[in-house]
mmCIF file of all heavy atoms in Angstrom:
data_model
loop_
_atom_site.group_PDB
_atom_site.id
_atom_site.type_symbol
_atom_site.label_atom_id
_atom_site.label_comp_id
_atom_site.label_asym_id
_atom_site.label_seq_id
_atom_site.Cartn_x
_atom_site.Cartn_y
_atom_site.Cartn_z
ATOM 1 N N MET A 1 -25.711 55.077 29.232
ATOM 2 C CA MET A 1 -25.318 54.430 30.478
ATOM 3 C C MET A 1 -25.290 55.443 31.627
ATOM 4 O O MET A 1 -24.895 56.565 31.431
ATOM 5 C CB MET A 1 -23.919 53.831 30.318
ATOM 6 C CG MET A 1 -23.930 52.584 29.478
ATOM 7 S SD MET A 1 -22.320 51.829 29.393
ATOM 8 C CE MET A 1 -21.593 52.801 28.086
ATOM 9 N N ASN A 2 -25.725 55.052 32.821
ATOM 10 C CA ASN A 2 -25.686 56.002 33.921
ATOM 11 C C ASN A 2 -24.667 55.575 34.973
ATOM 12 O O ASN A 2 -23.854 54.701 34.748
ATOM 13 C CB ASN A 2 -27.093 56.208 34.503
ATOM 14 C CG ASN A 2 -27.624 54.957 35.149
ATOM 15 O OD1 ASN A 2 -26.860 54.096 35.555
ATOM 16 N ND2 ASN A 2 -28.929 54.826 35.228
ATOM 17 N N ILE A 4 -24.969 54.143 38.037
ATOM 18 C CA ILE A 4 -25.321 53.235 39.124
ATOM 19 C C ILE A 4 -24.425 51.994 39.160
ATOM 20 O O ILE A 4 -24.405 51.281 40.136
ATOM 21 C CB ILE A 4 -26.825 52.852 39.055
ATOM 22 C CG1 ILE A 4 -27.659 54.127 38.944
ATOM 23 C CG2 ILE A 4 -27.266 52.091 40.288
ATOM 24 C CD1 ILE A 4 -29.116 53.898 38.679
ATOM 25 N N VAL A 5 -23.655 51.794 38.125
ATOM 26 C CA VAL A 5 -22.764 50.630 38.100
ATOM 27 C C VAL A 5 -21.717 50.782 39.205
ATOM 28 O O VAL A 5 -21.080 51.830 39.315
ATOM 29 C CB VAL A 5 -22.043 50.539 36.732
ATOM 30 C CG1 VAL A 5 -21.086 49.368 36.711
ATOM 31 C CG2 VAL A 5 -23.055 50.441 35.618
ATOM 32 N N ARG A 26 -15.969 52.130 18.932
ATOM 33 C CA ARG A 26 -16.034 50.665 19.027
ATOM 34 C C ARG A 26 -15.758 50.216 20.461
ATOM 35 O O ARG A 26 -16.409 49.301 20.972
ATOM 36 C CB ARG A 26 -15.018 50.053 18.054
ATOM 37 C CG ARG A 26 -14.932 48.548 18.096
ATOM 38 C CD ARG A 26 -16.119 47.872 17.450
ATOM 39 N NE ARG A 26 -16.090 46.422 17.624
ATOM 40 C CZ ARG A 26 -17.012 45.748 18.311
ATOM 41 N NH1 ARG A 26 -18.037 46.367 18.850
ATOM 42 N NH2 ARG A 26 -16.935 44.448 18.422
ATOM 43 N N GLU A 29 -18.877 50.782 22.448
ATOM 44 C CA GLU A 29 -19.898 49.759 22.153
ATOM 45 C C GLU A 29 -19.580 48.458 22.874
ATOM 46 O O GLU A 29 -20.452 47.830 23.477
ATOM 47 C CB GLU A 29 -19.947 49.495 20.650
ATOM 48 C CG GLU A 29 -20.671 50.563 19.872
ATOM 49 C CD GLU A 29 -20.744 50.240 18.389
ATOM 50 O OE1 GLU A 29 -20.132 49.235 17.958
ATOM 51 O OE2 GLU A 29 -21.393 50.998 17.666
ATOM 52 N N MET A 30 -18.305 48.071 22.793
ATOM 53 C CA MET A 30 -17.858 46.854 23.462
ATOM 54 C C MET A 30 -18.141 46.948 24.960
ATOM 55 O O MET A 30 -18.678 46.037 25.577
ATOM 56 C CB MET A 30 -16.341 46.733 23.255
ATOM 57 C CG MET A 30 -15.866 45.442 22.684
ATOM 58 S SD MET A 30 -14.070 45.532 22.494
ATOM 59 C CE MET A 30 -13.926 45.050 20.801
ATOM 60 N N GLU A 32 -20.281 48.828 26.539
ATOM 61 C CA GLU A 32 -21.706 48.832 26.859
ATOM 62 C C GLU A 32 -22.267 47.410 26.862
ATOM 63 O O GLU A 32 -23.024 47.017 27.749
ATOM 64 C CB GLU A 32 -22.475 49.707 25.863
ATOM 65 C CG GLU A 32 -23.943 49.809 26.226
ATOM 66 C CD GLU A 32 -24.704 50.842 25.421
ATOM 67 O OE1 GLU A 32 -24.115 51.479 24.538
ATOM 68 O OE2 GLU A 32 -25.909 50.986 25.686
ATOM 69 N N GLU A 33 -21.873 46.642 25.852
ATOM 70 C CA GLU A 33 -22.383 45.270 25.763
ATOM 71 C C GLU A 33 -21.889 44.423 26.935
ATOM 72 O O GLU A 33 -22.655 43.688 27.557
ATOM 73 C CB GLU A 33 -21.941 44.649 24.436
ATOM 74 C CG GLU A 33 -22.537 43.274 24.240
ATOM 75 C CD GLU A 33 -22.242 42.677 22.882
ATOM 76 O OE1 GLU A 33 -21.216 43.033 22.270
ATOM 77 O OE2 GLU A 33 -23.052 41.841 22.437
ATOM 78 N N LEU A 34 -20.600 44.571 27.258
ATOM 79 C CA LEU A 34 -20.042 43.803 28.377
ATOM 80 C C LEU A 34 -20.661 44.258 29.692
ATOM 81 O O LEU A 34 -20.938 43.448 30.585
ATOM 82 C CB LEU A 34 -18.517 43.960 28.426
ATOM 83 C CG LEU A 34 -17.748 43.451 27.197
ATOM 84 C CD1 LEU A 34 -16.260 43.745 27.334
ATOM 85 C CD2 LEU A 34 -17.959 41.969 26.969
ATOM 86 N N GLN A 35 -20.914 45.551 29.798
ATOM 87 C CA GLN A 35 -21.521 46.079 31.024
ATOM 88 C C GLN A 35 -22.926 45.498 31.240
ATOM 89 O O GLN A 35 -23.287 45.139 32.363
ATOM 90 C CB GLN A 35 -21.612 47.605 30.969
ATOM 91 C CG GLN A 35 -22.245 48.185 32.229
ATOM 92 C CD GLN A 35 -22.480 49.668 32.138
ATOM 93 O OE1 GLN A 35 -21.623 50.399 31.638
ATOM 94 N NE2 GLN A 35 -23.628 50.134 32.596
ATOM 95 N N ALA A 36 -23.688 45.427 30.153
ATOM 96 C CA ALA A 36 -25.057 44.882 30.264
ATOM 97 C C ALA A 36 -25.008 43.468 30.841
ATOM 98 O O ALA A 36 -25.781 43.110 31.732
ATOM 99 C CB ALA A 36 -25.727 44.881 28.896
ATOM 100 N N HIS A 37 -24.058 42.687 30.345
ATOM 101 C CA HIS A 37 -23.947 41.298 30.803
ATOM 102 C C HIS A 37 -23.427 41.240 32.245
ATOM 103 O O HIS A 37 -24.007 40.572 33.106
ATOM 104 C CB HIS A 37 -22.994 40.548 29.867
ATOM 105 C CG HIS A 37 -22.952 39.079 30.120
ATOM 106 N ND1 HIS A 37 -23.162 38.153 29.129
ATOM 107 C CD2 HIS A 37 -22.740 38.356 31.245
ATOM 108 C CE1 HIS A 37 -23.073 36.937 29.639
ATOM 109 N NE2 HIS A 37 -22.807 37.037 30.927
ATOM 110 N N HIS A 39 -23.442 43.453 34.562
ATOM 111 C CA HIS A 39 -24.352 43.989 35.561
ATOM 112 C C HIS A 39 -25.482 43.016 35.876
ATOM 113 O O HIS A 39 -25.897 42.877 37.031
ATOM 114 C CB HIS A 39 -24.904 45.345 35.135
ATOM 115 C CG HIS A 39 -25.352 46.146 36.308
ATOM 116 N ND1 HIS A 39 -26.601 46.009 36.854
ATOM 117 C CD2 HIS A 39 -24.690 47.040 37.086
ATOM 118 C CE1 HIS A 39 -26.683 46.806 37.910
ATOM 119 N NE2 HIS A 39 -25.555 47.438 38.068
ATOM 120 N N ALA A 40 -25.947 42.333 34.841
ATOM 121 C CA ALA A 40 -26.984 41.310 35.068
ATOM 122 C C ALA A 40 -26.437 40.206 35.971
ATOM 123 O O ALA A 40 -27.122 39.709 36.873
ATOM 124 C CB ALA A 40 -27.453 40.736 33.731
ATOM 125 N N LEU A 41 -25.180 39.859 35.735
ATOM 126 C CA LEU A 41 -24.513 38.832 36.546
ATOM 127 C C LEU A 41 -24.396 39.305 37.998
ATOM 128 O O LEU A 41 -24.661 38.549 38.945
ATOM 129 C CB LEU A 41 -23.121 38.604 35.942
ATOM 130 C CG LEU A 41 -22.394 37.308 36.198
ATOM 131 C CD1 LEU A 41 -23.244 36.109 35.856
ATOM 132 C CD2 LEU A 41 -21.106 37.281 35.354
ATOM 133 N N GLU A 43 -26.280 41.538 39.543
ATOM 134 C CA GLU A 43 -27.603 41.588 40.189
ATOM 135 C C GLU A 43 -28.040 40.193 40.630
ATOM 136 O O GLU A 43 -28.623 40.019 41.699
ATOM 137 C CB GLU A 43 -28.633 42.203 39.232
ATOM 138 C CG GLU A 43 -28.470 43.725 39.139
ATOM 139 C CD GLU A 43 -29.491 44.376 38.231
ATOM 140 O OE1 GLU A 43 -29.978 43.708 37.296
ATOM 141 O OE2 GLU A 43 -29.784 45.566 38.447
ATOM 142 N N GLN A 61 -15.434 37.197 38.957
ATOM 143 C CA GLN A 61 -14.819 35.869 38.880
ATOM 144 C C GLN A 61 -15.493 35.014 37.790
ATOM 145 O O GLN A 61 -14.833 34.318 37.032
ATOM 146 C CB GLN A 61 -14.928 35.210 40.256
ATOM 147 C CG GLN A 61 -13.930 34.108 40.515
ATOM 148 C CD GLN A 61 -14.513 32.753 40.186
ATOM 149 O OE1 GLN A 61 -15.721 32.555 40.286
ATOM 150 N NE2 GLN A 61 -13.668 31.835 39.759
ATOM 151 N N GLN A 62 -16.811 35.129 37.711
ATOM 152 C CA GLN A 62 -17.541 34.357 36.693
ATOM 153 C C GLN A 62 -17.325 34.915 35.289
ATOM 154 O O GLN A 62 -17.388 34.187 34.306
ATOM 155 C CB GLN A 62 -19.040 34.363 36.998
ATOM 156 C CG GLN A 62 -19.427 33.465 38.155
ATOM 157 C CD GLN A 62 -20.933 33.496 38.370
ATOM 158 O OE1 GLN A 62 -21.718 33.291 37.460
ATOM 159 N NE2 GLN A 62 -21.334 33.784 39.586
ATOM 160 N N PHE A 63 -17.115 36.223 35.203
ATOM 161 C CA PHE A 63 -16.962 36.850 33.889
ATOM 162 C C PHE A 63 -15.582 36.534 33.293
ATOM 163 O O PHE A 63 -15.449 36.365 32.088
ATOM 164 C CB PHE A 63 -17.151 38.368 34.007
ATOM 165 C CG PHE A 63 -17.606 39.012 32.733
ATOM 166 C CD1 PHE A 63 -18.901 38.813 32.266
ATOM 167 C CD2 PHE A 63 -16.751 39.802 31.988
ATOM 168 C CE1 PHE A 63 -19.333 39.388 31.085
ATOM 169 C CE2 PHE A 63 -17.183 40.392 30.800
ATOM 170 C CZ PHE A 63 -18.469 40.182 30.354
ATOM 171 N N GLY A 64 -14.569 36.439 34.136
ATOM 172 C CA GLY A 64 -13.239 36.058 33.652
ATOM 173 C C GLY A 64 -12.169 37.060 34.033
ATOM 174 O O GLY A 64 -12.458 38.233 34.238
ATOM 175 N N LEU A 69 -9.212 38.149 29.211
ATOM 176 C CA LEU A 69 -10.286 38.653 28.345
ATOM 177 C C LEU A 69 -9.794 39.771 27.435
ATOM 178 O O LEU A 69 -10.161 39.830 26.261
ATOM 179 C CB LEU A 69 -11.449 39.171 29.194
ATOM 180 C CG LEU A 69 -12.476 38.133 29.615
ATOM 181 C CD1 LEU A 69 -13.559 38.771 30.453
ATOM 182 C CD2 LEU A 69 -13.094 37.477 28.397
ATOM 183 N N GLU A 72 -8.020 38.296 24.574
ATOM 184 C CA GLU A 72 -8.971 37.703 23.616
ATOM 185 C C GLU A 72 -9.678 38.787 22.807
ATOM 186 O O GLU A 72 -9.885 38.635 21.604
ATOM 187 C CB GLU A 72 -10.011 36.858 24.355
ATOM 188 C CG GLU A 72 -9.477 35.535 24.860
ATOM 189 C CD GLU A 72 -10.605 34.639 25.362
ATOM 190 O OE1 GLU A 72 -11.529 34.362 24.591
ATOM 191 O OE2 GLU A 72 -10.566 34.255 26.541
ATOM 192 N N LEU A 73 -10.028 39.877 23.478
ATOM 193 C CA LEU A 73 -10.701 40.980 22.769
ATOM 194 C C LEU A 73 -9.741 41.639 21.781
ATOM 195 O O LEU A 73 -10.131 41.974 20.663
ATOM 196 C CB LEU A 73 -11.236 42.013 23.770
ATOM 197 C CG LEU A 73 -12.441 41.571 24.608
ATOM 198 C CD1 LEU A 73 -12.721 42.581 25.718
ATOM 199 C CD2 LEU A 73 -13.686 41.411 23.743
ATOM 200 N N THR A 76 -9.485 39.991 18.461
ATOM 201 C CA THR A 76 -10.624 40.064 17.541
ATOM 202 C C THR A 76 -10.558 41.298 16.636
ATOM 203 O O THR A 76 -11.348 41.411 15.709
ATOM 204 C CB THR A 76 -11.975 40.112 18.303
ATOM 205 O OG1 THR A 76 -12.049 41.336 19.042
ATOM 206 C CG2 THR A 76 -12.150 38.935 19.232
ATOM 207 N N GLY B 28 -26.151 37.925 24.509
ATOM 208 C CA GLY B 28 -25.106 37.117 25.131
ATOM 209 C C GLY B 28 -25.567 36.250 26.288
ATOM 210 O O GLY B 28 -25.256 35.062 26.353
ATOM 211 N N LEU B 29 -26.331 36.855 27.197
ATOM 212 C CA LEU B 29 -26.803 36.098 28.372
ATOM 213 C C LEU B 29 -27.672 34.917 27.973
ATOM 214 O O LEU B 29 -27.575 33.837 28.533
ATOM 215 C CB LEU B 29 -27.616 37.024 29.284
ATOM 216 C CG LEU B 29 -26.858 37.719 30.399
ATOM 217 C CD1 LEU B 29 -27.745 38.771 31.057
ATOM 218 C CD2 LEU B 29 -26.380 36.726 31.438
ATOM 219 N N LEU B 32 -25.636 32.100 26.573
ATOM 220 C CA LEU B 32 -25.018 31.323 27.658
ATOM 221 C C LEU B 32 -26.043 30.426 28.347
ATOM 222 O O LEU B 32 -25.740 29.297 28.717
ATOM 223 C CB LEU B 32 -24.385 32.266 28.680
ATOM 224 C CG LEU B 32 -23.006 32.788 28.292
ATOM 225 C CD1 LEU B 32 -22.564 33.871 29.242
ATOM 226 C CD2 LEU B 32 -21.974 31.669 28.281
ATOM 227 N N LEU B 45 -17.836 27.830 31.763
ATOM 228 C CA LEU B 45 -17.269 28.776 30.816
ATOM 229 C C LEU B 45 -17.143 30.137 31.491
ATOM 230 O O LEU B 45 -18.080 30.575 32.163
ATOM 231 C CB LEU B 45 -18.240 28.860 29.634
ATOM 232 C CG LEU B 45 -17.819 29.595 28.387
ATOM 233 C CD1 LEU B 45 -16.675 28.865 27.710
ATOM 234 C CD2 LEU B 45 -19.008 29.681 27.424
ATOM 235 N N LYS B 46 -16.000 30.805 31.319
ATOM 236 C CA LYS B 46 -15.910 32.193 31.782
ATOM 237 C C LYS B 46 -16.825 33.012 30.874
ATOM 238 O O LYS B 46 -16.629 33.038 29.652
ATOM 239 C CB LYS B 46 -14.469 32.703 31.684
ATOM 240 C CG LYS B 46 -13.513 32.037 32.667
ATOM 241 C CD LYS B 46 -13.816 32.431 34.098
ATOM 242 C CE LYS B 46 -12.898 31.738 35.084
ATOM 243 N NZ LYS B 46 -13.383 31.830 36.468
ATOM 244 N N GLU B 47 -17.825 33.638 31.468
ATOM 245 C CA GLU B 47 -18.885 34.231 30.653
ATOM 246 C C GLU B 47 -18.388 35.291 29.672
ATOM 247 O O GLU B 47 -18.891 35.414 28.564
ATOM 248 C CB GLU B 47 -19.994 34.782 31.558
ATOM 249 C CG GLU B 47 -20.594 33.685 32.412
ATOM 250 C CD GLU B 47 -21.943 34.027 33.005
ATOM 251 O OE1 GLU B 47 -22.519 35.066 32.641
ATOM 252 O OE2 GLU B 47 -22.414 33.234 33.838
ATOM 253 N N GLY B 48 -17.370 36.049 30.109
ATOM 254 C CA GLY B 48 -16.843 37.103 29.235
ATOM 255 C C GLY B 48 -16.236 36.566 27.955
ATOM 256 O O GLY B 48 -16.192 37.259 26.934
ATOM 257 N N SER B 49 -15.755 35.328 27.985
ATOM 258 C CA SER B 49 -15.076 34.783 26.806
ATOM 259 C C SER B 49 -16.048 34.491 25.666
ATOM 260 O O SER B 49 -15.629 34.181 24.554
ATOM 261 C CB SER B 49 -14.277 33.527 27.166
ATOM 262 O OG SER B 49 -15.164 32.527 27.584
ATOM 263 N N LEU B 50 -17.344 34.605 25.956
ATOM 264 C CA LEU B 50 -18.331 34.463 24.884
ATOM 265 C C LEU B 50 -18.185 35.602 23.864
ATOM 266 O O LEU B 50 -18.351 35.390 22.657
ATOM 267 C CB LEU B 50 -19.749 34.501 25.491
ATOM 268 C CG LEU B 50 -20.892 34.558 24.500
ATOM 269 C CD1 LEU B 50 -21.019 33.245 23.742
ATOM 270 C CD2 LEU B 50 -22.202 34.867 25.212
ATOM 271 N N TYR B 51 -17.867 36.799 24.360
ATOM 272 C CA TYR B 51 -17.906 37.976 23.478
ATOM 273 C C TYR B 51 -16.804 37.989 22.409
ATOM 274 O O TYR B 51 -17.107 38.285 21.247
ATOM 275 C CB TYR B 51 -17.955 39.268 24.311
ATOM 276 C CG TYR B 51 -19.291 39.343 25.012
ATOM 277 C CD1 TYR B 51 -19.458 38.857 26.301
ATOM 278 C CD2 TYR B 51 -20.416 39.784 24.337
ATOM 279 C CE1 TYR B 51 -20.704 38.840 26.914
ATOM 280 C CE2 TYR B 51 -21.668 39.779 24.940
ATOM 281 C CZ TYR B 51 -21.801 39.305 26.230
ATOM 282 O OH TYR B 51 -23.039 39.284 26.819
ATOM 283 N N PRO B 52 -15.553 37.651 22.763
ATOM 284 C CA PRO B 52 -14.566 37.543 21.676
ATOM 285 C C PRO B 52 -15.012 36.555 20.597
ATOM 286 O O PRO B 52 -14.814 36.797 19.409
ATOM 287 C CB PRO B 52 -13.303 37.056 22.396
ATOM 288 C CG PRO B 52 -13.460 37.551 23.792
ATOM 289 C CD PRO B 52 -14.929 37.478 24.082
ATOM 290 N N TYR B 55 -17.574 38.269 18.498
ATOM 291 C CA TYR B 55 -16.979 39.292 17.620
ATOM 292 C C TYR B 55 -16.279 38.633 16.428
ATOM 293 O O TYR B 55 -16.296 39.154 15.316
ATOM 294 C CB TYR B 55 -16.009 40.188 18.394
ATOM 295 C CG TYR B 55 -16.669 40.963 19.522
ATOM 296 C CD1 TYR B 55 -15.954 41.384 20.635
ATOM 297 C CD2 TYR B 55 -18.027 41.259 19.487
ATOM 298 C CE1 TYR B 55 -16.562 42.073 21.679
ATOM 299 C CE2 TYR B 55 -18.645 41.945 20.521
ATOM 300 C CZ TYR B 55 -17.909 42.344 21.614
ATOM 301 O OH TYR B 55 -18.521 43.024 22.645
ATOM 302 N N ARG B 56 -15.638 37.485 16.688
ATOM 303 C CA ARG B 56 -14.984 36.768 15.578
ATOM 304 C C ARG B 56 -16.029 36.274 14.578
ATOM 305 O O ARG B 56 -15.850 36.387 13.372
ATOM 306 C CB ARG B 56 -14.180 35.571 16.113
ATOM 307 C CG ARG B 56 -12.835 35.951 16.682
ATOM 308 C CD ARG B 56 -11.961 34.719 16.906
ATOM 309 N NE ARG B 56 -12.512 33.805 17.896
ATOM 310 C CZ ARG B 56 -12.307 33.917 19.206
ATOM 311 N NH1 ARG B 56 -11.559 34.882 19.683
ATOM 312 N NH2 ARG B 56 -12.837 33.035 20.043
ATOM 313 N N GLU B 58 -18.948 37.511 14.078
ATOM 314 C CA GLU B 58 -19.530 38.672 13.396
ATOM 315 C C GLU B 58 -18.586 39.166 12.296
ATOM 316 O O GLU B 58 -19.026 39.459 11.178
ATOM 317 C CB GLU B 58 -19.799 39.787 14.414
ATOM 318 C CG GLU B 58 -20.667 40.891 13.839
ATOM 319 C CD GLU B 58 -20.908 42.018 14.835
ATOM 320 O OE1 GLU B 58 -20.311 42.015 15.925
ATOM 321 O OE2 GLU B 58 -21.708 42.911 14.495
ATOM 322 N N TRP B 67 -28.362 46.305 17.950
ATOM 323 C CA TRP B 67 -28.583 46.733 19.335
ATOM 324 C C TRP B 67 -30.071 46.662 19.636
ATOM 325 O O TRP B 67 -30.897 46.967 18.765
ATOM 326 C CB TRP B 67 -28.118 48.174 19.522
ATOM 327 C CG TRP B 67 -26.637 48.323 19.556
ATOM 328 C CD1 TRP B 67 -25.842 48.709 18.521
ATOM 329 C CD2 TRP B 67 -25.769 48.076 20.656
ATOM 330 N NE1 TRP B 67 -24.531 48.711 18.922
ATOM 331 C CE2 TRP B 67 -24.459 48.337 20.221
ATOM 332 C CE3 TRP B 67 -25.975 47.654 21.982
ATOM 333 C CZ2 TRP B 67 -23.354 48.192 21.057
ATOM 334 C CZ3 TRP B 67 -24.870 47.518 22.806
ATOM 335 C CH2 TRP B 67 -23.582 47.783 22.345
ATOM 336 N N GLY B 73 -33.531 47.337 32.146
ATOM 337 C CA GLY B 73 -33.219 46.960 33.527
ATOM 338 C C GLY B 73 -31.761 46.635 33.780
ATOM 339 O O GLY B 73 -31.450 45.939 34.714
ATOM 340 N N ARG B 74 -30.868 47.115 32.934
ATOM 341 C CA ARG B 74 -29.459 46.832 33.192
ATOM 342 C C ARG B 74 -28.685 48.137 33.284
ATOM 343 O O ARG B 74 -27.651 48.324 32.674
ATOM 344 C CB ARG B 74 -28.878 45.957 32.084
ATOM 345 C CG ARG B 74 -29.212 44.498 32.267
ATOM 346 C CD ARG B 74 -28.885 43.765 31.007
ATOM 347 N NE ARG B 74 -29.518 44.405 29.875
ATOM 348 C CZ ARG B 74 -30.818 44.317 29.614
ATOM 349 N NH1 ARG B 74 -31.602 43.603 30.381
ATOM 350 N NH2 ARG B 74 -31.344 44.956 28.590
ATOM 351 N N ARG B 75 -29.203 49.065 34.055
ATOM 352 C CA ARG B 75 -28.520 50.326 34.329
ATOM 353 C C ARG B 75 -28.154 51.073 33.039
ATOM 354 O O ARG B 75 -27.064 51.587 32.895
ATOM 355 C CB ARG B 75 -27.257 50.080 35.163
ATOM 356 C CG ARG B 75 -27.503 49.322 36.433
ATOM 357 C CD ARG B 75 -28.410 50.102 37.368
ATOM 358 N NE ARG B 75 -28.720 49.304 38.537
ATOM 359 C CZ ARG B 75 -29.955 49.056 38.950
ATOM 360 N NH1 ARG B 75 -30.995 49.511 38.272
ATOM 361 N NH2 ARG B 75 -30.172 48.372 40.040
ATOM 362 N N GLY B 76 -29.086 51.059 32.108
ATOM 363 C CA GLY B 76 -28.896 51.883 30.921
ATOM 364 C C GLY B 76 -28.050 51.262 29.825
ATOM 365 O O GLY B 76 -27.957 51.822 28.746
ATOM 366 N N ALA B 77 -27.404 50.138 30.078
ATOM 367 C CA ALA B 77 -26.579 49.518 29.044
ATOM 368 C C ALA B 77 -27.463 48.650 28.151
ATOM 369 O O ALA B 77 -28.272 47.875 28.648
ATOM 370 C CB ALA B 77 -25.486 48.672 29.685
ATOM 371 N N ARG B 78 -27.301 48.826 26.835
ATOM 372 C CA ARG B 78 -28.112 48.024 25.908
ATOM 373 C C ARG B 78 -27.408 46.702 25.607
ATOM 374 O O ARG B 78 -26.203 46.576 25.785
ATOM 375 C CB ARG B 78 -28.303 48.788 24.592
ATOM 376 C CG ARG B 78 -29.118 50.050 24.728
ATOM 377 C CD ARG B 78 -29.012 50.861 23.471
ATOM 378 N NE ARG B 78 -27.609 51.181 23.180
ATOM 379 C CZ ARG B 78 -27.146 51.508 21.991
ATOM 380 N NH1 ARG B 78 -27.952 51.545 20.950
ATOM 381 N NH2 ARG B 78 -25.876 51.791 21.808
ATOM 382 N N ARG B 79 -28.204 45.756 25.131
ATOM 383 C CA ARG B 79 -27.629 44.469 24.733
ATOM 384 C C ARG B 79 -27.625 44.382 23.215
ATOM 385 O O ARG B 79 -28.406 45.060 22.555
ATOM 386 C CB ARG B 79 -28.478 43.322 25.304
ATOM 387 C CG ARG B 79 -28.525 43.313 26.807
ATOM 388 C CD ARG B 79 -29.364 42.200 27.340
ATOM 389 N NE ARG B 79 -30.767 42.311 26.962
ATOM 390 C CZ ARG B 79 -31.753 41.665 27.565
ATOM 391 N NH1 ARG B 79 -31.486 40.872 28.567
ATOM 392 N NH2 ARG B 79 -32.997 41.802 27.172
ATOM 393 N N ARG B 80 -26.766 43.547 22.691
ATOM 394 C CA ARG B 80 -26.787 43.307 21.247
ATOM 395 C C ARG B 80 -27.440 41.963 21.003
ATOM 396 O O ARG B 80 -27.191 40.995 21.725
ATOM 397 C CB ARG B 80 -25.371 43.303 20.675
ATOM 398 C CG ARG B 80 -24.762 44.687 20.662
ATOM 399 C CD ARG B 80 -23.396 44.656 20.058
ATOM 400 N NE ARG B 80 -23.466 44.875 18.623
ATOM 401 C CZ ARG B 80 -22.582 44.407 17.743
ATOM 402 N NH1 ARG B 80 -21.596 43.667 18.142
ATOM 403 N NH2 ARG B 80 -22.701 44.689 16.470
ATOM 404 N N TYR B 82 -27.952 38.846 18.571
ATOM 405 C CA TYR B 82 -27.241 38.146 17.494
ATOM 406 C C TYR B 82 -28.171 37.167 16.787
ATOM 407 O O TYR B 82 -29.023 36.547 17.420
ATOM 408 C CB TYR B 82 -26.046 37.379 18.079
ATOM 409 C CG TYR B 82 -24.980 38.294 18.629
ATOM 410 C CD1 TYR B 82 -25.036 38.750 19.947
ATOM 411 C CD2 TYR B 82 -23.936 38.737 17.830
ATOM 412 C CE1 TYR B 82 -24.076 39.611 20.445
ATOM 413 C CE2 TYR B 82 -22.970 39.598 18.338
ATOM 414 C CZ TYR B 82 -23.043 40.023 19.635
ATOM 415 O OH TYR B 82 -22.091 40.878 20.126
#
Side-chain angles (χ1 to χ4, degrees):
Chain A
M1 286 184 277
N2 66 24
I4 309 172
V5 178
R26 177 74 186 116
E29 283 182 354
M30 233 179 232
E32 184 170 2
E33 185 174 27
L34 298 176
Q35 180 186 318
H37 188 127
H39 204 275
L41 202 53
E43 284 181 333
Q61 202 266 331
Q62 285 182 52
F63 205 71
L69 274 180
E72 286 190 57
L73 289 170
T76 66
Chain B
L29 267 170
L32 279 171
L45 190 66
K46 291 291 178 195
E47 300 198 8
S49 64
L50 172 69
Y51 292 93
Y55 298 154
R56 280 193 296 274
E58 192 181 7
W67 286 99
R74 279 167 307 285
R75 305 297 175 234
R78 294 168 302 158
R79 298 179 296 198
R80 289 182 90 208
Y82 293 88

